[in-house]
Amino acid sequence: MTDVKKIAVTGAAGQIAYSLLWRIANGDVYGPDQPIKLSLLEITPALGATEGVAMELLDSAFPLVKDIEISDDATKAFDGASAAFLVGAKPRGKGEERSDLLAANGKIFGPQGKAINDHAADDIRVLVVGNPANTNALIAQHAAPDVPADRFNAMMRLDHNRALSQLATKLGYGSDEFEKMVVWGNHSATQFPDIAFAEVDGKKVADLLDHDFYINEFIPRIAKRGAEIIEVRGKSSAASAASSAIDHMRDWIAGTNGSWRSAAIPSKGEYGTDEGLIFGLPCVAEGGEWKVVEGLELSDFQKERIAANNKELNEERDAVADLLK
């Protein structure tokens, strides 16, 4: 039998985890032949609800799930973990400044990063889903100096998938028919869904879309899609976030066969970004690692949009500078 892989999920009693855990249990991360152990981390008051989630997982009788553990202790939850989905985060309160939100989340992601540093398996991969995801990932990464920095990612895949879906709907193709789509920067309203390199059926997507539609409808809609879903559904997007988290982790592990994905990874200064920021970039996954697509020529418009994200992420980094020492 293949060795059992431990997968940790934080915020395990929440909405996103409720969709995410069933996909993990089904083998959608490591594949249909890899036995797994689920580690569910929650705050102490939510342990009862987490127990209910575990009961349902057990009742689903997934053959790959060999064990489920529940804990409010990050040290125990991440001990021996090969993959971690950091979903639990403090939501923004009414009237709360973004800097206050970042500081509050630092108290969550700093200790989790340290627990990962001290106890996770050597092959650990960490995907931060809880917002503000990019800077939360940066905080966790800095708290784990013994783990390679590139093992900490933030999720831009939801924005990437939203962009593909909108293009498919507008142009009448399947979402899987599009290539070379990228969403740059921060998982925020500043993000830049970029179709300059995108192709479908041998055609450039930019030649198929009206420019005004792209600038005034497409870009804002992708950036504000989460708010649109809250307005319509009355709740934040959960199932789509969970599905996108699975997509990211699966591709990270198994590779993308040369196809582009949007992944927020530690920047090395590519395309005018500042080194060290967790920045959404065009990537391919090979051999268990993300590699940035190199050699792209950027227009002034693209550079301006990327620079706006770079500025915002620098401001976020400055706001939590005391947590990064």
Side-chain angles (χ1 to χ4, degrees):
M1 179 183 289
T2 305
D3 290 342
V4 175
K5 291 284 190 182
K6 181 174 176 177
I7 303 176
V9 176
T10 75
Q15 280 199 88
I16 293 175
Y18 198 70
S19 293
L20 178 65
L21 285 163
W22 267 258
R23 293 285 301 278
I24 296 172
N26 193 52
D28 291 358
V29 172
Y30 283 105
D33 301 317
Q34 175 62 61
I36 59 173
K37 175 180 180 178
L38 293 173
S39 175
L40 313 184
L41 179 65
E42 257 295 1
I43 58 174
T44 306
L47 286 178
T50 310
E51 180 68 31
V53 172
M55 291 167 67
E56 283 203 79
L57 284 163
L58 288 170
D59 290 350
S60 300
F62 288 104
L64 293 175
V65 178
K66 302 307 177 185
D67 190 20
I68 302 173
E69 65 179 27
I70 299 167
S71 180
D72 58 0
D73 180 358
T75 296
K76 179 180 177 182
F78 295 119
D79 186 30
S82 292
F85 294 86
L86 306 191
V87 179
K90 181 189 179 297
R92 191 167 186 168
K94 185 175 181 181
E96 186 175 32
E97 295 295 330
R98 191 172 180 87
S99 58
D100 295 329
L101 177 64
L102 287 163
N105 273 298
K107 297 175 183 178
I108 299 171
F109 288 89
Q112 288 181 0
K114 186 179 188 308
I116 289 168
N117 184 78
D118 295 345
H119 300 284
D122 289 342
D123 62 345
I124 183 66
R125 291 179 175 86
V126 181
L127 176 62
V128 176
V129 178
N131 288 319
N134 297 57
T135 299
N136 285 342
L138 185 69
I139 292 167
Q141 178 213 88
H142 275 258
D146 300 327
V147 178
D150 61 7
R151 301 288 186 85
F152 287 86
N153 292 184
M155 191 172 73
M156 297 293 290
R157 186 59 172 272
L158 179 56
D159 309 300
H160 181 98
N161 287 350
R162 285 169 170 167
L164 292 177
S165 174
Q166 292 296 319
L167 290 176
T169 301
K170 180 69 173 178
L171 298 176
Y173 290 93
S175 59
D176 61 337
E177 296 181 73
F178 291 86
E179 294 286 343
K180 300 182 180 179
M181 178 68 210
V182 57
V183 183
W184 302 84
N186 197 8
H187 179 66
S188 73
T190 307
Q191 65 177 259
F192 173 37
D194 185 5
I195 64 167
F197 309 107
E199 300 174 356
V200 64
D201 194 24
K203 308 178 188 73
K204 290 185 67 66
V205 169
D207 293 337
L208 303 177
L209 281 185
D210 178 78
H211 184 69
D212 287 340
F213 167 81
Y214 172 57
I215 298 297
N216 298 317
E217 294 187 46
F218 179 81
I219 291 178
R221 186 161 209 189
I222 304 308
K224 299 176 182 178
R225 184 66 164 180
E228 182 182 3
I229 289 171
I230 290 173
E231 183 176 349
V232 173
R233 182 174 178 256
K235 297 178 181 179
S236 61
S237 50
S240 57
S243 183
S244 298
I246 292 288
D247 289 345
H248 179 109
M249 190 69 80
R250 181 195 61 240
D251 283 349
W252 192 359
I253 293 166
T256 63
N257 294 317
S259 293
W260 293 17
R261 303 288 189 264
S262 303
I265 64 174
S267 167
K268 296 178 181 177
E270 300 93 343
Y271 300 109
T273 62
D274 285 347
E275 185 173 355
L277 297 175
I278 307 294
F279 205 96
L281 294 162
C283 296
V284 297
E286 298 176 359
E289 297 181 356
W290 291 109
K291 299 180 180 180
V292 177
V293 177
E294 298 179 347
L296 300 178
E297 294 187 10
L298 303 179
S299 67
D300 288 343
F301 173 74
Q302 290 169 295
K303 291 176 182 177
E304 289 170 5
R305 293 281 178 150
I306 292 168
N309 279 272
N310 193 71
K311 179 176 182 291
E312 182 177 67
L313 284 168
N314 266 309
E315 290 170 351
E316 291 187 11
R317 180 164 63 178
D318 291 345
V320 297
D322 59 322
L323 300 174
L324 306 179
K325 296 176 182 177

